Structure formats: C-alpha cells, structure tokens
Amino acid sequence: GNSVTQMEGPVTLSEEAFLTINCTYTATGYPSLFWYVQYPGEGLQLLLKATKADDKGSNKGFEATYRKETTSFHLEKGSVQVSDSAVYFCALSADGGTSYGKLTFGQGTILTVHP
Amino acid sequence: NAGVTQTPKFQVLKTGQSMTLQCAQDMNHNSMYWYRQDPGMGLRLIYYSASEGTTDKGEVPNGYNVSRLNKREFSLRLESAAPSQTSVYFCASTKTQGIGEKLFFGSGTQLSVL
C-alpha cells in the first residue's frame, strides 16, 4: 500500500534560519504529492503541491521538488518566521481509478520558530 | 464565505453513547471526506463520498457510519462510542477527484470518549 514517512520532530528554529523537513513516500504508479500546514486550532490548508516528477511546488517562500528517483518531496524555506510555527504534513494522492481525492498522510512535523 | 463547517467543535461522550458529527460545505463540491487525526499518526481516512448518493470505506471505517444527506452535507455517526475513538475529526471536500485536487478542510471536532 501507499505510505508517507516524515522526519521525526519536533523541529525548533530561530527566526531567519533555514528549514528542511524531509518526506519520503512509497506508492505504485505516479502519485501527486502535497504539503499541508495546520496552524493551532485550525484545519489543514494546502501549502504546495506537485503532480509529476521534477515538478517544483512553491508558496509563501516554501518549496518542494518531486524527486521520483529518490521517492522524496522535502520541504524547504530559506528564512523562517515566527508565523511559520505550525504542524506540517506531507501527503500523497494515488493515481488511477477514483482515488485521487483520498490522501495518505505522513505523521506530521511540529515546527516552532523562536524570535 | 464559510467553506467547510463542522459541528460541534468539542464533545465529550461516555463509552457506549452515540452521536453524529455534522459537516456542510458551501463550495458546490462533489466529493467529501471524513478523517481522524491522532498524535504521531497523521490523518487517516474513515469514509468518503465521491459524489452525492455514494459512500465508500476508507482506511479505518470500523465503528463508524456515514450519510451523504445531499450535495452539501456529509455526516459521521458513532453508534456506540469507545475510548479508542477519542480523536480529532476533520471533514474535507474537493470539487472533483482529478489529479492533484486540493482538499478543503473544516476546523475539526475534538471528541473525547470516557
């Protein structure tokens, strides 16, 4: 079956530090890959996505590149802010049939950014 | 512009009690989903409805039932609550089931079963 593995957390950084959150996946075929973010007390929001190999998703200074050869979709940001403190989820959507809307999520990584 | 609305936001039940979690979306989306979120496990799909009139099991359906009441509403029912169902429940929707479709999530229901 499909699975997503994220780096162990929590991650604590100082403001303006570089962020990397690792994500690797196992899936058959050609899944779409996503990063969702959850701010305290809220539901998840889509941060960025990539639907085919070598695509780069980007939003709000965050980037992730779909690497099929390493089955990875690592999230990066060059300079984090306090407002980036949240839980980040890597997820995939399997291809084929009617399964596109059903996501398989990683366990989530808690990010805390200090001033 | 409400998006996906879930009620209630918080609920405490005793073991064996029943309850229904309500979800409604105002974006004219075709597909709706129920997920549960547990610490260290990410979100897991309970049930989904690809379109009005259809429902299917997800990864962890045991102990739950769903109803797609109409295009807007998708409810989740716990017939006999168990402590293992203590979790945060999220409803989500998508316009279609196309490749890379974005999910829109509600703000969640925090359920405790004592």
Side-chain angles (χ1 to χ4, degrees), chain A residues 17-34:
Chain A
F18 184 85
L19 168 71
T20 299
I21 301 178
N22 289 338
C23 171
T24 58
Y25 68 90
T26 301
T28 55
Y30 300 93
S32 295
L33 301 174
F34 306 83

Side-chain angles (χ1 to χ4, degrees), chain A residues 32 34 36 38 41-46 49 51 87 89 93 95 97-108, chain B residues 33 35 37-38 40-45 48 50 57 90 94 96-108:
Chain A
S32 295
F34 306 83
Y36 278 81
Q38 183 181 30
E42 299 183 8
L44 280 71
Q45 305 171 27
L46 179 66
K49 69 178 184 181
T51 58
V87 184
F89 292 92
S93 175
D95 66 350
T98 59
S99 60
Y100 296 142
K102 300 186 305 181
L103 297 189
T104 299
F105 285 87
Q107 71 270 35
Chain B
Y33 311 81
Y35 285 89
Q37 181 182 26
D38 300 297
M41 300 189 72
L43 278 75
R44 292 180 293 169
L45 183 64
Y48 68 101
K57 296 178 180 179
F90 288 100
T94 57
T96 70
Q97 290 208 316
I99 295 173
E101 193 73 21
K102 169 184 174 181
L103 266 73
F104 290 80
F105 283 86
S107 57

Side-chain angles (χ1 to χ4, degrees), chain A residues 38-94:
Chain A
Q38 183 181 30
Y39 298 104
E42 299 183 8
L44 280 71
Q45 305 171 27
L46 179 66
L47 181 60
L48 54 83
K49 69 178 184 181
T51 58
K52 60 183 187 294
D54 300 324
D55 268 3
K56 177 184 283 188
S58 61
N59 186 27
K60 300 181 181 179
F62 291 90
E63 294 183 339
T65 301
Y66 187 162
R67 301 288 188 198
K68 189 165 177 63
E69 64 275 14
T70 55
T71 61
S72 64
F73 193 55
H74 305 321
L75 182 68
E76 297 182 336
K77 186 174 186 182
S79 177
V80 294
Q81 305 300 313
V82 173
S83 57
D84 294 326
S85 298
V87 184
Y88 292 81
F89 292 92
C90 185
L92 69 81
S93 175

Side-chain angles (χ1 to χ4, degrees), chain B residues 41-68:
Chain B
M41 300 189 72
L43 278 75
R44 292 180 293 169
L45 183 64
I46 304 170
Y47 269 94
Y48 68 101
S49 172
S51 60
E52 186 179 356
T54 69
T55 60
D56 284 288
K57 296 178 180 179
E59 182 184 356
V60 288
N62 291 345
Y64 305 96
N65 286 301
V66 291
S67 296
R68 183 74 183 266

Side-chain angles (χ1 to χ4, degrees), chain B residues 69-80:
Chain B
L69 304 171
N70 47 55
K71 191 172 186 179
R72 290 186 64 247
E73 298 173 287
F74 188 41
S75 62
L76 178 71
R77 182 162 179 83
L78 287 70
E79 291 290 352
S80 179

